[in-house]
């Protein structure tokens, strides 16, 4: 039931302490926003204050599929889609009612370094979930709930979690193509959070008591929507998300925060003859933050975008898109940001597809990165109202080959990519002047520190074989990246590795199904983190 495990099983994608990293994207940084956009049924689920992803509140017990777009995707998805998007689609009810119950328990092994083991009794993690889907005529209902208790292998970092979700969808019997509904997702977590480890020798898995703090957090989203579309006409979609995020620190009330956001998007697409499809959309995102930690702030994003798909010949599809976005924070407004993307997909043979793409991306700094100001034990967090937006672009060329050998079918995919990012934000430890007294002190501040170049390639494969009543699947992949800092003046890589990245990652998964029984084996390999 861990979202991080789902993503870690995808070549080229890794999650580090709750931050998604696509091909060497963002690593962990205290209070920093994500450079990967996470969506539930196409709606963003970033918090309005820190701009991070609430992985623990994903309704994983009712997910039907996970869609991943790697590389800059800001044209359709806006800020925070600098390095890609991950869209979790929830399952709708069918004509047959379905109830699922899931339970698991696990135990953490001992570290190779015996000096790091601090526990005397085993550390366990347990989870359970229940979901039910059914139809009542033209109305479908989905209910899900989940519980988690995790001792954790790090001292003072345990977690308790409860989550519940409700889905209602009605398909009109009078108007063809019309459907509407509302989704609700709510959760509560109690966990120990921290900033520093005790030390790097015997305390590598022990949190420093001076920075460990108890957190009570809750999360609520209400998502009404309406959709209308027919195959021979335009399609219209209106989606709204009302989201509330609250953080409570019983032992450190100065770090409490409340964040409320309202996101709405209207999108329409229309076929233009037999060869073209035009998509146009507008969106707004409003946030209001009340916090002793960040201060009180309001933010507003307004955007308009368009994308065209055109097939000049039956085997070739081309795509191009443009987005314009304006960001407002309190009484200040950022410049109008234009971003562009283009791509093509060519069917070279019956089961051979060649693709190329280029896309620009950006990310506005989160309110936390600009205004977070607090002291945790001996650690200070300094605000930086002048931190600038991150920008970048991604290019890729790839080939996908379909396979069919007797009762074996599948596909192999190869892609090479190049990513450039500018003004990446990291929390840098240094000496900074106190914003009130001006007295210098040690601490962390969100700072634009990196120009980066990420060059690499990946291979993915999927093979499926049916033998009698047994269905066997073999999937896996390998990703290589060279993530280095880049000197804009010399136009050359410096050879200094970016923080929190790995050069090599690979996965291999084998699974077999027979009637109602499944058995599987998964193996993952990762090289060491290059720089911290």
């Amino acid at each position: 039931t861990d979202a991080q495990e789902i993503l870690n099983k995808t070549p080229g994608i890794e999650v580090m302490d709750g931050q998604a990293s696509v091909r060497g994207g963002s690593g962990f940084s205290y209070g920093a926003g994500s450079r990967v956009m996470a969506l539930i049924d196409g709606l963003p689920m970033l918090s309005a204050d820190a701009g991070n992803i609430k992985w623990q509140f994903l309704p994983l017990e009712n997910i039907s599929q996970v869609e991943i777009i790697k590389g800059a995707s800001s044209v359709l998805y806006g800020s925070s889609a600098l390095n890609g998007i991950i869209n979790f689609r929830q399952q709708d009810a069918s004509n047959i009612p379905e109830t699922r119950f899931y339970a698991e328990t696990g135990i953490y092994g001992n570290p190779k370094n015996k000096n790091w083991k601090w526990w005397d009794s085993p550390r366990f993690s347990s989870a359970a979930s229940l979901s039910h889907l059914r139809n009542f005529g033209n109305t479908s209902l989905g209910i899900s709930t989940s519980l988690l208790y995790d001792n954790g292998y790090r001292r003072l970092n345990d977690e308790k979690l409860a989550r519940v979700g409700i889905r209602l969808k009605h398909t009109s019997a009078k108007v063809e193509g019309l459907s509407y509904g509302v989704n609700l997702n709510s959760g509560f977590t109690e966990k120990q959070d921290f900033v520093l480890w005790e030390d790097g020798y015997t305390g590598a898995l022990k949190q420093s008591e001076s920075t460990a703090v108890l957190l009570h957090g809750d999360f609520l989203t209400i998502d009404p929507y309406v959709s209308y579309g027919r195959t021979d006409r335009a399609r219209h979609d209106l989606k709204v998300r009302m989201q509330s995020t609250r953080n409570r620190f019983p032992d450190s009330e100065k770090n409490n925060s409340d964040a409320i956001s309202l996101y709405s998007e209207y999108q329409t697409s229309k076929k233009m003859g037999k060869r073209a499809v035009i998509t146009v959309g507008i969106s707004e995102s409003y946030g209001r933050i009340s916090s002793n930690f960040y201060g009180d702030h309001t933010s507003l994003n307004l955007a308009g975008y368009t994308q065209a798909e055109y097939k000049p010949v039956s085997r070739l599809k081309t795509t191009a898109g443009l987005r314009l976005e304006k960001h407002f924070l309190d009484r200040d407004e950022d410049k109008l940001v234009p971003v562009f993307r283009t791509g093509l997909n060519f069917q070279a043979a019956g089961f051979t597809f060649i693709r190329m793409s280029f896309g620009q991306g950006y990310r506005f700094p989160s309110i936390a990165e600009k205004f977070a100001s607090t002291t945790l034990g001996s650690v200070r967090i300094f605000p930086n109202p002048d931190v600038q937006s991150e920008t970048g672009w991604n290019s890729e060329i790839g080939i996908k080959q379909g396979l069919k050998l007797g009762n074996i079918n599948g596909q192999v995919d190869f892609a090479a990519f190049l990513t450039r990012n500018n003004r990446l934000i990291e929390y840098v430890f240094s000496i900074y002047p106190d914003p009130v007294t001006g007295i210098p002190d040690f601490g962390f501040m969100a700072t634009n520190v990196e120009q980066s170049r990420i060059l690499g390639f990946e291979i993915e494969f999927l093979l499926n074989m049916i033998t009698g009543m047994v269905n066997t699947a073999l999937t896996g992949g390998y990703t290589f990246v060279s993530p280095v800092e880049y000197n804009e003046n010399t136009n050359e890589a410096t050879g200094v590795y970016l923080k929190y990245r790995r050069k090599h990652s690979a996965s291999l998964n084998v699974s077999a199904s027979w009637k109602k029984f499944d058995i599987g084996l998964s193996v993952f390999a990762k090289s060491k983190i290059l720089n911290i």
Side-chain angles (χ1 to χ4, degrees):
T1 62
D2 190 348
Q4 300 189 15
E5 287 306 310
I6 288 181
L7 301 178
N8 285 338
K9 292 176 183 177
T10 305
I13 292 189
E14 177 176 350
V15 172
M16 299 186 59
D17 289 308
Q19 292 264 354
S21 169
V22 176
R23 292 173 175 169
S26 172
F28 169 75
S29 53
Y30 188 81
S34 175
R35 299 186 183 104
V36 176
M37 173 73 79
L39 306 111
I40 294 287
D41 296 324
L43 286 167
M45 60 171 305
L46 301 179
S47 64
D49 47 11
N52 55 7
I53 302 168
K54 300 298 184 182
W55 295 110
Q56 67 270 35
F57 295 123
L58 281 169
L60 294 178
E61 62 277 359
N62 194 42
I63 297 297
S64 61
Q65 66 184 55
V66 181
E67 302 168 346
I68 298 171
I69 299 177
K70 304 173 185 178
S73 306
S74 290
V75 166
L76 289 181
Y77 300 99
S79 178
S80 294
L82 181 66
N83 283 343
I85 69 118
I86 306 168
N87 185 27
F88 297 87
R89 289 198 177 275
Q90 298 188 78
Q91 184 175 348
D92 287 326
S94 64
N95 292 329
I96 302 175
E98 181 178 322
T99 301
R100 294 181 183 177
F101 174 74
Y102 177 81
E104 73 166 15
T105 188
I107 185 172
Y108 291 102
N110 296 329
K112 287 185 178 180
N113 188 332
K114 296 180 180 179
N115 294 325
W116 290 1
K117 183 182 176 182
W118 56 270
W119 56 86
D120 296 322
S121 57
R123 311 297 295 175
F124 288 97
S125 175
S126 301
S129 67
L130 176 68
S131 64
H132 179 71
L133 298 169
R134 69 179 304 129
N135 282 334
F136 299 93
N138 290 341
T139 301
S140 66
L141 170 67
I143 301 175
S144 63
T145 184
S146 177
L147 297 172
L148 168 73
Y149 178 73
D150 187 0
N151 283 142
Y153 61 89
R154 297 180 293 200
R155 190 184 65 168
L156 303 179
N157 197 213
D158 55 316
E159 180 178 10
K160 300 174 184 177
L161 174 71
R163 183 176 62 242
V164 63
I166 299 175
R167 287 171 56 81
L168 280 172
K169 179 180 179 180
H170 181 76
T171 302
S172 176
K174 298 180 179 180
V175 181
E176 180 184 354
L178 175 65
S179 62
Y180 50 89
V182 62
N183 301 328
L184 183 147
N185 186 30
S186 180
F188 173 82
T189 183
E190 177 183 300
K191 65 180 294 186
Q192 293 273 100
D193 212 348
F194 73 100
V195 177
L196 293 182
W197 282 267
E198 192 174 86
D199 62 70
Y201 298 97
T202 62
L205 301 181
K206 300 177 185 177
Q207 289 16 294
S208 170
E209 292 187 10
S210 64
T211 66
V213 60
L214 179 64
L215 165 65
H216 292 168
D218 60 64
F219 179 83
L220 173 66
T221 60
I222 302 174
D223 307 332
Y225 65 91
V226 58
S227 178
Y228 174 72
R230 296 173 61 180
T231 56
D232 58 338
R233 298 183 182 180
R235 180 177 181 86
H236 305 271
D237 291 284
L238 176 62
K239 298 180 287 188
V240 177
R241 160 156 287 191
M242 294 170 281
Q243 178 174 296
S244 170
T245 306
R246 299 194 307 167
N247 294 322
R248 293 291 182 269
F249 298 86
D251 301 323
S252 182
E253 293 186 357
K254 63 182 179 180
N255 293 331
N256 291 350
S257 66
D258 294 343
I260 297 175
S261 61
L262 174 65
Y263 176 86
S264 58
E265 179 181 12
Y266 168 73
Q267 183 182 100
T268 180
S269 60
K270 182 175 177 60
K271 290 185 177 180
M272 311 295 290
K274 295 183 179 180
R275 297 185 180 271
V277 177
I278 302 294
T279 301
V280 179
I282 55 174
S283 68
E284 69 80 29
S285 179
Y286 170 80
R288 188 181 70 191
I289 289 84
S290 177
S291 170
N292 296 326
F293 188 12
Y294 310 123
D296 297 341
H297 302 280
T298 58
S299 64
L300 177 66
N301 275 63
L302 301 175
Y305 60 88
T306 183
Q307 179 170 283
E309 297 181 6
Y310 179 65
K311 297 182 67 173
V313 294
S314 60
R315 289 177 173 263
L316 177 65
K317 183 172 74 172
T318 61
T319 304
L322 176 69
R323 183 185 187 95
L324 297 175
E325 185 155 339
K326 188 79 169 178
H327 181 67
F328 302 85
L329 180 58
D330 298 328
R331 296 183 180 180
D332 299 326
E333 61 178 88
D334 213 321
K335 63 181 180 181
L336 186 68
V337 176
V339 288
F340 172 78
R341 75 179 294 264
T342 185
L344 61 86
N345 192 307
F346 176 65
Q347 185 178 2
F351 299 101
T352 305
F353 297 85
I354 300 172
R355 67 184 184 277
M356 292 185 288
S357 66
F358 172 85
Q360 296 174 311
Y362 65 96
R363 186 179 76 84
F364 295 116
S366 68
I367 286 175
E369 288 164 331
K370 279 180 170 287
F371 301 111
S373 178
T374 190
T375 300
L376 295 170
S378 58
V379 179
R380 293 204 60 183
I381 309 293
F382 290 90
N384 185 6
D386 298 322
V387 67
Q388 301 180 58
S389 299
E390 300 175 336
T391 62
W393 55 263
N394 173 268
S395 60
E396 176 181 295
I397 182 169
I399 181 169
K400 179 176 290 187
Q401 178 64 54
L403 303 173
K404 186 170 180 60
L405 301 170
N407 62 342
I408 300 176
N409 63 77
Q411 62 186 34
V412 177
D413 188 275
F414 173 84
F417 51 86
L418 173 64
T419 299
R420 282 282 309 275
N421 288 322
N422 301 315
R423 301 192 300 267
L424 292 184
I425 299 172
E426 288 186 6
Y427 273 86
V428 177
F429 184 76
S430 185
I431 299 176
Y432 302 102
D434 186 282
V436 178
T437 65
I439 300 174
D441 197 359
F442 285 98
F444 291 90
M445 177 186 287
T447 309
N448 297 106
V449 295
E450 285 185 347
Q451 314 288 329
S452 72
R453 187 205 70 185
I454 303 169
L455 180 67
F457 68 88
E458 64 185 4
I459 301 172
E460 298 174 295
F461 63 89
L462 184 155
L463 299 175
N464 193 76
M465 179 177 66
I466 299 177
T467 305
M469 299 179 64
V470 179
N471 185 11
T472 304
L474 177 67
T475 64
Y478 166 75
T479 301
F480 168 83
V481 295
S482 175
V484 295
E485 292 183 356
Y486 192 82
N487 190 314
E488 203 168 25
N489 297 322
T490 64
N491 287 323
E492 293 181 355
T494 65
V496 177
Y497 290 123
L498 305 182
K499 298 181 182 68
Y500 311 113
R501 276 76 166 185
R502 308 173 191 268
K503 269 191 174 182
H504 309 278
S505 61
S507 69
L508 180 65
N509 309 280
V510 183
S511 63
S513 301
W514 176 73
K515 295 186 177 181
K516 294 184 178 182
F517 296 93
D518 300 313
I519 187 171
L521 174 68
S522 298
V523 180
F524 310 99
K526 299 176 184 178
S527 61
K528 67 180 181 180
I529 293 177
L530 299 171
N531 190 11
I532 63 173

